[in-house]
Amino acid sequence: MEAWYMDETSEDQRLPHQKNPNEPVSLNKLADIGVLYWHLNPKDYENDKELQNIRQTRGYNYMDLLDLCPEKVENYEEKLKNFFREHIHADEEIRYCLQGSGYFDVRDSDDRWIRIWIKEGDMIVLPAGIYHRFTLDKGNYIKLMRLFVGEPVWTCYNRPQEDHPARVGYVKNFVDDSKKGVALEAH
Ligand SMILES: CSCCC(=O)C(=O)O
Ligand SMILES: [Fe+2]
């Protein structure tokens, strides 16, 4: 996994969009905005004790696989277009990359885009209410495990959603707090 602040050019979304010079983003910074990360063994996902432990601890009882290629996904082009529209969910978005790679873009507390490049073995959790989007990269292929607590709900709420309860909760926990942190550091 690698993450960086995005440049603001409107070129091909599947390009890396790094700034020049690159401005990397650390795991700590991602944790500050509620994004969690693990690296697991994707070859052994059916027996992986570490994955089982995460699923048990966090209550991820639902699991399915999403093989993102035109042959296997209905309305492939439309789905990809919707994935790249900035949105939130009422619940966590949990994705584990088994093959290929792709970009999850998330907004930081100053509303800047952070691009998270996930590859084989990378598992991330986006908290409920975080503005985000997804695109394939130039490799054009990803196989993802999707996890969920209980019956899955994939509903996207496109931005703006400032009054959505998940957004309100997210801002309270992660945006206001990080601003407070800055205010405290300044004293
Ligand atoms: C391809 S999974 C990631 C896309 C997304 O944000 C979503 O499914 O809600
Ligand atoms: Fe999403």
Side-chain angles (χ1 to χ4, degrees), residues 35-54:
V35 174
L36 307 178
Y37 171 78
W38 293 267
H39 188 79
L40 303 173
N41 175 10
K43 299 280 177 281
D44 189 34
Y45 68 86
E46 277 158 325
N47 305 297
D48 185 7
K49 289 278 179 297
E50 214 183 332
L51 176 61
Q52 285 166 16
N53 184 49
I54 295 166

Side-chain angles (χ1 to χ4, degrees), residues 87 89 93 132:
H87 64 271
H89 304 283
E93 179 166 318
H132 69 279

